[in-house]
Amino acid sequence: MRRVFRIPFSRSRVEREIDDELAFHIQTRVDQLVRGGLSAEAARTEALRQFGALDDVREQMLILDRQREATVRRAHMFDELRQDLSYGVRTLRRNLGFTALVVGGLALGIGANAAIYSLIDAVLLRKLPVVQPDRLVVFGDPARVTSLSDGTPNTDLLSYPVYHDVRARDAVFTDVLATGRADQMDVRFDSTSSAAEHPRARFVSANYFAVLGVRAERGRTFDAAVDESHGVLPEVVISDEFWKSRFNGDPSVVGRPITINDVRLTIIGIAAPGFTGEVVGNETNLWLPLSTHDAIMTHRRFMDDRGVSWLLLIGRLKPGITLAQARAALIPMVKADLIAHANANDAVAIGDPSEPWVVESAARGLSRVRADFSAPLLTLMVGVALLLGIVCVNVANLLLARGIARRREMSLRLAIGANRGRIVRQLLTESVLLALVSGAAALVVAWWGSRGLVMLASQGSTISLALGPNAAELAFTLGLSVASVLAFGLVPALRASRVDLATTMRATSRSVSQGRRFGTLLITAQVALSLVLLTGAAMLARSLSRLQATDIGVDRDHLIVADFDVQRPGYTPERLANVVHALRDAAARVPGVAAVTYSENGLFTGTESATSIEIPGFTARTSDDSSIAYDRVGVGFARSIGARVLAGRDIDASDEGRPGRTALVNATFAKFYFPDKQAVGQYLHIGDTASIRIVGVIGDVHEHSLDAPQGYQARRVFFPYLVTPDSTLGTPESLRLLVRTHGDPAALVEPLRAALAPVDRALPLYHVRPLAALVRVSIREERLVAQIASGLAVLALLLAAIGMYGVMNYTIARRTGEIGVRVAIGARQSDIARMVVLDALRPVAVGVVAGLPLTVLAMRALQSKLNGVTPSDWESASFAVLVLAASAIVAALAPARRATRIDPMTALREE
């Protein structure tokens, strides 16, 4: 290190100076004694005796000198730092174009990384703002925060009776809370409100706030009496954020009555600031006691029904209990409880070893967003890290070129006594200034970028995240800025400070060629990193294109889905049939409508129904062999949505208004259960119901996802929607009108809404959306990754092209004499242009070779995210290579054109 920077070590210098001073004083006294008549040896002995304890004096002098040296060095260091900063600011101000280019590139690279990190922190890393979040454990799938299952008891969601049993028998938690979904509700905050509002709510047990350790900012939270009240104590707690945004922080809100679904409740408290619930990505405005559920949701009475699984449990571990111990105690207890209250078929399904049992830490809360976006976010983090690497290489190239351009300045500094360490420090100070300014600009980029990414990811849904700037994001950005300084500032500073005075003064080609070779090396690194990004983006884009082109088995470009809640009005079967037919007829009268049908689950709505069946003559090997997905559909279902009827007939009017005894099945169902015979005319059973006859087979329809060869890969049955209710399937909970149009469905959304709304004012109409929009939402993760990866690839390509352009410009400028000689001895313009272009392609070729191993690793890492594209997709890699080569040629055209116009006489005179 001393050899590199030529910095003297102050400790040995101070000791040497003190030893020299002491030796001088002793020798002076010796000389005096010798002149007085003593021998040299006797004089030295006497001089040392008169001097006293030499070692003590030396030690005291060392202490004093070191203190003085340290004081002087500190003052000198701060003075030099002030000088470096002042000179650095002046230098950067004199070169505003260079400064803007560097700051813009770094702000983009660091800001992109900070934006992705902000989302990763909010979704994956940040813990709940509660007391000791690491002691919280969730029982159930934390992604199923808005799910509900009716029928065979689930193992990843629980019913309220099971929660009651767990709480009574639990031995690993200090207490356990329950939390579950709340459907859209009509809320009125004062008696004069004519229009209902729809804030986000959740049903929670009375001990919810106590278990989490969340206090009330105003008023109070629920007490234990609420759980035992069965709706007699209708209370509600609101969030601090909702209090401020909806009520402008009015303190009189506590104690105010509100109405939810015509049920009167009282606001008893406002939760602590910063707490928006246990669900990450879905901010909760209202918390309602579980005991009020059946009173508010009068047509969805879940509280005493063991067959309705809709709750997730969160417990706080007792001191000394680990997560593994909690898992070992809870799963057998819950399994035994479920089996004890299940029928024979359900007990077999619950006891199946393949059933999921989820017990994990709840420190970071529950989240569907985390399950959906964790993999895309980590993929994008790798992409923006590669982009930052390209930015750093580009900036290093700029700093290197600028350092070489300042070689005369460095020579003068060395000539007047500056050492190399001092020059390196000055150059690094300028780099630090650039990094700090870039970091500040990057925070702005991150602020806008993170929010833009959330908007891009939402696409038809609501994602609420507490984004920065916060301490974590500020620390990440600062750390990244400092790391970038080391990445792009150190090597150029060392090279720029390595100046040969004689060579620099003569300005020969030797020093120039060294800078050119290092610049070419940087371009090679840019190309290697760009190849990885371009190949990955090409693969993701091709995968998305194939996914979007998937045949889903219906006419998706001409379908509209209208979503209703038919349970809230509490229709009788007769009234439900009348309303459904009235809605169908109203939609059919809208000009441009070709056909109308309806179903319970619809297409791409995220709602699924499943049950177990029995097939005469079929023996199930596992419980999954008896499981099927089902939907309840209207007359002309297959014809109306554009599905193919492969055998038999569609649902017709004769199937409605009587006990359900007919059904359609899809091709996967028919092939699985009847591989050697015709499915039409065969029978199936659900529980103890009478035989249900299969009247038709339709082609497989992708109802929820595009990324599987057979749609949802489910064996699916379609029962008539309007039949006499039976004990197995019950009454439909929702209604989706499926409207097929002649032209663009988006143009009929508002006319349809206007035609459907007046049919029954008591019937909530949630959404009217084209099916194509729902399909896009279903692949929002794939779209997000492909779009951002493509954007990063374009930026990487642009940066690489700028870097190549800069290096070629610089090279042409330094090779003016050489090119003049070539022209003078007969080189043609085409020869000069070819030489320049080949020089530009050479680092591209080397970069491609160097980047291939990284590209292969990236292709394998993306395997799970590709649809119809294999990891050995060399078409994408070839495309990336061609694009990089083309960009290199384009970047070299202007320098090549300038090189062909060099006048040989002028060039030789300059040389």
Side-chain angles (χ1 to χ4, degrees), residues 136-137 163 167 170 172-177 205-208 210-211 314-318:
L136 298 177
V137 171
Y163 161 64
R167 193 178 180 198
D170 160 61
V172 296
F173 297 132
T174 57
D175 204 353
V176 188
L177 68 86
S205 55
N207 61 348
Y208 174 83
V211 172
I314 299 178
R316 183 172 290 279
L317 291 172
K318 290 181 177 179

Side-chain angles (χ1 to χ4, degrees), residues 855-878:
T855 303
V856 171
L857 292 176
M859 294 166 73
R860 291 178 179 174
L862 289 174
Q863 180 175 1
S864 62
K865 300 173 180 60
L866 301 177
N867 184 276
V869 178
T870 63
S872 58
D873 180 31
W874 294 110
E875 294 180 16
S876 297
S878 301

Side-chain angles (χ1 to χ4, degrees), residues 300-334:
R300 292 183 174 91
R301 297 183 176 275
F302 299 158
M303 295 298 289
D304 298 323
D305 192 341
R306 287 184 173 272
V308 180
S309 304
W310 64 295
L311 296 175
L312 292 165
L313 310 188
I314 299 178
R316 183 172 290 279
L317 291 172
K318 290 181 177 179
I321 300 297
T322 65
L323 176 60
Q325 290 172 326
R327 185 181 291 115
L330 286 171
I331 293 176
M333 179 180 68
V334 175

